[in-house]
mmCIF file of all heavy atoms in Angstrom:
data_model
loop_
_atom_site.group_PDB
_atom_site.id
_atom_site.type_symbol
_atom_site.label_atom_id
_atom_site.label_comp_id
_atom_site.label_asym_id
_atom_site.label_seq_id
_atom_site.Cartn_x
_atom_site.Cartn_y
_atom_site.Cartn_z
ATOM 1 N N LYS A 970 31.597 17.309 51.914
ATOM 2 C CA LYS A 970 31.902 18.683 52.332
ATOM 3 C C LYS A 970 30.894 19.203 53.356
ATOM 4 O O LYS A 970 31.220 20.041 54.190
ATOM 5 C CB LYS A 970 31.928 19.619 51.115
ATOM 6 C CG LYS A 970 33.061 19.364 50.149
ATOM 7 C CD LYS A 970 34.420 19.692 50.737
ATOM 8 C CE LYS A 970 34.668 21.173 50.711
ATOM 9 N NZ LYS A 970 36.039 21.501 51.197
ATOM 10 N N HIS A 971 29.657 18.715 53.283
ATOM 11 C CA HIS A 971 28.619 19.158 54.215
ATOM 12 C C HIS A 971 28.487 18.232 55.433
ATOM 13 O O HIS A 971 27.533 18.354 56.213
ATOM 14 C CB HIS A 971 27.266 19.270 53.492
ATOM 15 C CG HIS A 971 27.206 20.416 52.537
ATOM 16 N ND1 HIS A 971 27.484 20.281 51.193
ATOM 17 C CD2 HIS A 971 26.946 21.735 52.743
ATOM 18 C CE1 HIS A 971 27.378 21.470 50.599
ATOM 19 N NE2 HIS A 971 27.055 22.365 51.521
ATOM 20 N N GLY A 972 29.437 17.320 55.585
ATOM 21 C CA GLY A 972 29.443 16.450 56.751
ATOM 22 C C GLY A 972 28.360 15.390 56.757
ATOM 23 O O GLY A 972 28.037 14.828 57.805
ATOM 24 N N LYS A 973 27.787 15.103 55.589
ATOM 25 C CA LYS A 973 26.739 14.082 55.484
ATOM 26 C C LYS A 973 27.378 12.715 55.271
ATOM 27 O O LYS A 973 28.458 12.604 54.679
ATOM 28 C CB LYS A 973 25.797 14.386 54.323
ATOM 29 C CG LYS A 973 25.189 15.780 54.351
ATOM 30 C CD LYS A 973 24.174 15.919 55.448
ATOM 31 C CE LYS A 973 23.467 17.275 55.351
ATOM 32 N NZ LYS A 973 22.512 17.460 56.443
ATOM 33 N N LEU A 974 26.703 11.685 55.716
ATOM 34 C CA LEU A 974 27.212 10.331 55.571
ATOM 35 C C LEU A 974 26.268 9.487 54.717
ATOM 36 O O LEU A 974 25.073 9.765 54.644
ATOM 37 C CB LEU A 974 27.365 9.674 56.945
ATOM 38 C CG LEU A 974 28.351 10.332 57.912
ATOM 39 C CD1 LEU A 974 28.294 9.638 59.275
ATOM 40 C CD2 LEU A 974 29.767 10.309 57.360
ATOM 41 N N LEU A 975 26.824 8.474 54.068
ATOM 42 C CA LEU A 975 26.011 7.467 53.381
ATOM 43 C C LEU A 975 25.633 6.406 54.402
ATOM 44 O O LEU A 975 26.360 6.164 55.361
ATOM 45 C CB LEU A 975 26.805 6.829 52.245
ATOM 46 C CG LEU A 975 27.317 7.761 51.145
ATOM 47 C CD1 LEU A 975 28.147 6.966 50.145
ATOM 48 C CD2 LEU A 975 26.172 8.468 50.451
ATOM 49 N N GLU A 976 24.506 5.759 54.181
ATOM 50 C CA GLU A 976 24.110 4.727 55.130
ATOM 51 C C GLU A 976 23.535 3.506 54.435
ATOM 52 O O GLU A 976 22.975 3.585 53.348
ATOM 53 C CB GLU A 976 23.117 5.273 56.156
ATOM 54 C CG GLU A 976 21.853 5.876 55.591
ATOM 55 C CD GLU A 976 20.987 6.471 56.696
ATOM 56 O OE1 GLU A 976 21.324 7.565 57.182
ATOM 57 O OE2 GLU A 976 19.971 5.826 57.054
ATOM 58 N N ALA A 977 23.728 2.368 55.095
ATOM 59 C CA ALA A 977 23.168 1.097 54.631
ATOM 60 C C ALA A 977 22.650 0.361 55.855
ATOM 61 O O ALA A 977 23.291 0.377 56.912
ATOM 62 C CB ALA A 977 24.234 0.270 53.924
ATOM 63 N N THR A 978 21.499 -0.277 55.716
ATOM 64 C CA THR A 978 20.859 -0.930 56.861
ATOM 65 C C THR A 978 20.718 -2.426 56.626
ATOM 66 O O THR A 978 20.366 -2.867 55.520
ATOM 67 C CB THR A 978 19.468 -0.312 57.116
ATOM 68 O OG1 THR A 978 19.628 1.092 57.354
ATOM 69 C CG2 THR A 978 18.795 -0.944 58.327
ATOM 70 N N CYS A 979 20.994 -3.187 57.659
ATOM 71 C CA CYS A 979 20.815 -4.642 57.602
ATOM 72 C C CYS A 979 19.333 -4.968 57.602
ATOM 73 O O CYS A 979 18.586 -4.500 58.465
ATOM 74 C CB CYS A 979 21.516 -5.297 58.793
ATOM 75 S SG CYS A 979 21.279 -7.082 58.870
ATOM 76 N N ASP A 980 18.897 -5.771 56.644
ATOM 77 C CA ASP A 980 17.483 -6.125 56.528
ATOM 78 C C ASP A 980 17.005 -7.029 57.660
ATOM 79 O O ASP A 980 15.804 -7.137 57.904
ATOM 80 C CB ASP A 980 17.219 -6.829 55.191
ATOM 81 C CG ASP A 980 17.424 -5.909 54.000
ATOM 82 O OD1 ASP A 980 17.279 -4.686 54.180
ATOM 83 O OD2 ASP A 980 17.741 -6.416 52.910
ATOM 84 N N VAL A 981 17.935 -7.690 58.340
ATOM 85 C CA VAL A 981 17.550 -8.655 59.375
ATOM 86 C C VAL A 981 17.501 -8.014 60.759
ATOM 87 O O VAL A 981 16.501 -8.101 61.461
ATOM 88 C CB VAL A 981 18.510 -9.866 59.368
ATOM 89 C CG1 VAL A 981 18.251 -10.781 60.556
ATOM 90 C CG2 VAL A 981 18.370 -10.630 58.059
ATOM 91 N N CYS A 982 18.583 -7.339 61.165
ATOM 92 C CA CYS A 982 18.641 -6.813 62.539
ATOM 93 C C CYS A 982 18.461 -5.299 62.604
ATOM 94 O O CYS A 982 18.464 -4.725 63.690
ATOM 95 C CB CYS A 982 19.957 -7.207 63.203
ATOM 96 S SG CYS A 982 21.402 -6.351 62.517
ATOM 97 N N SER A 983 18.352 -4.655 61.453
ATOM 98 C CA SER A 983 18.130 -3.205 61.354
ATOM 99 C C SER A 983 19.309 -2.360 61.832
ATOM 100 O O SER A 983 19.159 -1.156 62.060
ATOM 101 C CB SER A 983 16.865 -2.779 62.117
ATOM 102 O OG SER A 983 15.733 -3.421 61.575
ATOM 103 N N SER A 984 20.491 -2.957 61.990
ATOM 104 C CA SER A 984 21.683 -2.154 62.290
ATOM 105 C C SER A 984 21.987 -1.279 61.082
ATOM 106 O O SER A 984 21.834 -1.716 59.929
ATOM 107 C CB SER A 984 22.885 -3.056 62.585
ATOM 108 O OG SER A 984 22.691 -3.766 63.790
#
Side-chain angles (χ1 to χ4, degrees):
K970 293 293 281 184
H971 289 95
K973 306 289 186 182
L974 298 175
L975 301 177
E976 57 184 76
T978 302
C979 177
D980 294 334
V981 172
C982 70
S983 299
S984 293

